[in-house]
Amino acid sequence: MTFTTRPTLRGTFGMVSSTHWLASQSAMGVLERGGNAFDAAVAAGFVLHVVEPHLNGPAGEVPAILATATDPTPRVLCGQGPAPAAATVAHFRSLGLDLVPGAGPLAAVVPGAVDAWLLLLRDHGTRTLAEVLEPAIGYAAAGHPLVGAAGQTVARVRSLFTDHWPTSARLWLRDGRPPAPGEVITNPAYADTLRRLVDAGRAAGPDRQAQIEAARCAWREGFVAEAIDAFSRLPFRDSSGRAHAGLVTGDDLAGWSATWEQPVTLDWHGHTIAKTGFWGQGPVLLQTLSILDALDDPRVHDPSSLEGIHAQAEALKLAFADREAWYGDTDVPASALLSAEYASARAALVGDRVDTTLRPGSPAGEPPRLPSHLRADAGRGAVPQDPSTGEPTVRADGVTRGDTCHVDVVDRWGNIISATPSGGWLQSSPTIPDLGFPLGSRLQMCWLEERLASTLRPGRRPRTTLSPTLVLRDGEPVMACGTPGGDQQDQWQLLFLLRHLAGGQELQEAIDAPTWHTTSFPASFYPREVEPGVLVLEDRIDADVLSGLRARGHTVRLSAPWSLGRMCAVTRDPRTGVLSAAANPRGAQGYAAGR
């Protein structure tokens, strides 16, 4: 029997996997009280705002993919807010900027996470707003032992807080110091915000859906929108080195709501893999799988072998190059990008040696268009980053300055969901004191250059890295999975899916296996660095494989043995009703729960 750090959990009642044990157990508590998978996911989502504040927040975003027990057709929940009405290229250029700052009020989009969670609860949940928010209110009001990584994040931005973001300093620097690992931390302002949403719902009467709609109104048009509007007008220091006011207004919040959309899918090895649309990076995973199949060599499906790692890295770089040229909240040549003919043409570019150039294709017969910033800087190495910026790439030692969360839930009826909340990190923007949370900084994903797929436009969603996954077999949903990790999300999911779906490994075995990713394409986050030819690998990977990769021209950068990947996964066997779950052991934070 293969050793795993934890067992793959199995049962028939319900399963949860998330990036924090308190969120997993809170979701299980909702299932135990008769709620369904969607009630549980909403409860977990709001708990994650409290217990992983360095990884997500209420003013962040959340895309999700789900299927219900009565309709196995996958649906995408888009909780990615758009650029505010005043966010124009001309405005940023007038400030002397050629990139959207990676932190600060100017980088904020319309907050999307809370409205999306509430829309999910309204349309597919069964519990009341008060019931699903109870765990988050409790942790925010009474406190929770803060994970060490959150305190470390506060320590890295301490001078920024004390010198420029006093509202954040008041919340996070108690007695002038960052929180110690395990210190019990409260957020009374956020607890009060949630209570006020519940009170707004109760004032609407006894109907569950009417209560949820009233809370959505209080968020988008009431006291939350008013506080965001007022605070956004204040200038604060951002990663440009200067102070700028934000652009999000109350009208922006009132004019947007989360939406239901169709997923993009790929039929692969007897499974259908569903991802968000091309406003996210999820189709990169589908393109990569298609390119690997077009190579027509079974060796390329092994993420631990020399042939597999090399081919997968080269295929990923081609797919991510297409992301840079073609993906965005605009008209995208989607069918051409996912066609077998295009995959074959791209596969022909995979050679025996590494390629260090950015090679987008022409799926619709039009030449690809890349930002001049990338064309000018494609060969530069990593640039030191302001610790307040972005959802950064993983360093060689596996440490990140900020990241994302994930939660998967499946219940005994067959409801299933994969969600990847992120943004609104404690280090992304100054805390709004009346609300207890900061705005996000997802606007940094947009380019300040015209005629690009991801050019900044008012009302347009920034191209997000957030990438939940739903897998179906014979039309029935069988797995929800995902991971934090920014540009690494679909890379780490690729390895997991290859190991589990093609290689037959158990969930936990596939999660525990040595992980790697490439940074040989433009990063999505400020300052958008590129590291041509670099492969970052956990040093548990076989030494002969590492030598072979170096011989093929890869720049091998070794990471700590248990440092890369943050996978979560739940499954359901439609034939037997058996449910399973597994979670990432790295960082000693993610946990699965179920019975």
Side-chain angles (χ1 to χ4, degrees):
M1 182 177 68
T2 302
F3 172 79
T4 57
T5 57
R6 309 164 179 181
T8 296
L9 306 184
R10 290 181 178 85
T12 56
F13 179 80
M15 290 286 165
V16 182
S17 179
S18 87
T19 48
H20 196 290
W21 63 87
L22 292 179
S24 293
Q25 191 54 44
S26 296
M28 274 305 299
V30 171
L31 293 178
E32 295 286 0
R33 292 190 292 274
N36 67 16
F38 311 121
D39 299 313
V42 174
F46 279 93
V47 168
L48 288 170
H49 293 163
V50 178
V51 301
E52 292 191 328
H54 59 310
L55 306 181
N56 81 139
E61 45 272 328
V62 56
I65 306 182
L66 62 87
T68 70
T70 56
D71 183 0
T73 306
R75 299 283 307 282
V76 170
L77 173 63
C78 175
Q80 174 58 67
T88 64
V89 171
H91 176 74
F92 281 81
R93 293 293 191 188
S94 73
L95 299 175
L97 299 172
D98 61 0
L99 290 175
V100 178
L106 195 57
V109 297
V110 179
V114 166
D115 192 65
W117 286 125
L118 296 184
L119 180 64
L120 172 63
L121 183 66
R122 186 198 72 180
D123 290 354
H124 294 294
T126 65
R127 304 289 95 178
T128 67
L129 181 64
E131 288 174 302
V132 299
L133 292 189
E134 181 183 3
I137 292 172
Y139 286 126
H144 60 96
L146 192 69
V147 294
Q152 293 165 10
T153 300
V154 174
R156 281 189 286 269
V157 291
R158 179 176 182 174
S159 61
L160 175 67
F161 283 9
T162 56
D163 296 344
H164 302 287
W165 294 2
T167 58
S168 296
R170 286 197 293 272
L171 177 60
W172 294 108
L173 295 173
R174 316 264 170 107
D175 301 321
R177 58 170 180 80
E183 182 175 350
V184 175
I185 293 295
T186 62
N187 188 340
Y190 186 49
D192 187 57
T193 296
L194 295 181
R195 289 193 190 103
R196 293 181 69 181
L197 293 179
V198 172
D199 290 343
R202 285 177 173 150
D207 182 75
R208 190 187 73 89
Q209 291 186 329
Q211 289 184 355
I212 296 168
E213 277 303 293
R216 292 180 75 199
C217 184
W219 176 272
R220 292 164 46 203
E221 302 176 43
F223 76 96
V224 174
E226 292 169 0
I228 289 175
D229 184 291
F231 195 77
S232 185
R233 300 172 189 270
L234 304 176
F236 287 94
R237 176 75 168 264
D238 60 35
S239 51
S240 72
R242 291 176 285 145
H244 296 107
L247 302 174
V248 177
T249 67
D251 288 342
D252 290 316
L253 271 84
W256 178 87
S257 66
T259 54
W260 294 107
E261 301 181 1
Q262 297 299 313
V264 176
T265 62
L266 174 73
D267 292 330
W268 186 81
H269 291 228
H271 295 83
T272 299
I273 301 172
K275 303 291 288 186
T276 67
F278 284 84
W279 51 267
Q281 78 175 16
V284 161
L285 177 62
L286 309 184
Q287 279 196 253
T288 305
L289 289 169
S290 296
I291 293 170
L292 292 175
D293 273 4
L295 291 172
D296 196 24
D297 182 349
R299 296 179 299 171
V300 304
H301 290 143
D302 182 356
S304 299
S305 71
L306 171 60
E307 291 294 338
I309 295 175
H310 172 76
Q312 291 157 32
E314 295 303 292
L316 282 164
K317 287 188 282 186
L318 292 168
F320 274 102
D322 279 342
R323 183 192 73 168
E324 292 308 310
W326 300 107
Y327 288 25
D329 189 13
T330 184
D331 292 331
V332 177
S335 58
L337 282 164
L338 295 176
S339 69
E341 295 78 13
Y342 185 66
S344 294
R346 301 295 274 162
L349 299 177
V350 177
D352 291 334
R353 289 190 56 80
V354 69
D355 189 283
T356 59
T357 58
L358 190 65
R359 296 182 291 173
S362 302
E366 297 290 332
R369 182 172 172 81
L370 292 172
S372 57
H373 178 83
L374 297 182
R375 297 195 301 272
D377 296 337
R380 68 177 179 165
V383 175
Q385 292 188 347
D386 178 334
S388 68
T389 61
E391 182 181 357
T393 53
V394 181
R395 292 193 333 216
D397 59 4
V399 172
T400 63
R401 285 181 291 273
D403 209 334
T404 295
C405 307
H406 188 82
V407 58
D408 300 310
V409 189
V410 62
D411 64 30
R412 61 191 184 275
W413 301 289
N415 299 300
I416 189 169
I417 182 169
S418 172
T420 309
S422 186
W425 307 289
L426 67 86
Q427 69 276 22
S428 66
S429 199
T431 299
I432 303 171
D434 292 343
L435 302 177
F437 58 80
L439 294 174
S441 56
R442 190 66 56 173
L443 206 63
Q444 67 183 286
M445 320 291 279
C446 297
W447 290 106
L448 301 179
E449 183 175 343
E450 298 293 348
R451 296 187 297 123
L452 300 175
S454 52
T455 295
L456 173 65
R457 285 283 184 276
R460 179 183 288 184
R461 291 169 293 189
R463 188 201 70 212
T464 180
T465 55
L466 307 178
S467 192
T469 299
L470 194 69
V471 178
L472 299 90
R473 186 175 63 239
D474 299 326
E476 293 287 335
V478 295
M479 181 166 68
C481 65
T483 178
D487 293 316
Q488 285 79 52
Q489 288 185 28
D490 286 293
Q491 301 194 64
W492 293 339
Q493 290 185 71
L494 173 71
L495 310 191
F496 169 77
L497 292 176
L498 288 172
R499 285 171 169 140
H500 179 62
L501 298 182
Q505 293 184 4
E506 292 279 356
L507 290 185
Q508 194 65 50
E509 181 183 6
I511 290 174
D512 285 354
T515 302
W516 56 267
H517 62 264
T518 177
T519 56
S520 187
F521 57 84
S524 293
F525 297 90
Y526 183 93
R528 314 299 285 265
E529 69 269 24
V530 187
E531 297 182 308
V534 170
L535 272 179
V536 183
L537 310 98
E538 289 182 334
D539 67 8
R540 293 182 289 143
I541 291 176
D542 187 81
D544 290 340
V545 171
L546 298 176
S547 296
L549 291 169
R550 292 187 181 97
R552 293 193 180 203
H554 295 276
T555 300
V556 171
R557 180 182 298 165
L558 293 183
S559 182
W562 293 91
S563 58
L564 306 180
R566 307 288 188 269
M567 285 296 307
C568 299
V570 299
T571 65
R572 179 178 184 269
D573 186 333
R575 182 179 59 86
T576 65
V578 171
L579 313 177
S580 302
N584 165 61
R586 299 163 178 86
Q589 191 166 315
Y591 264 89
R595 68 174 180 88

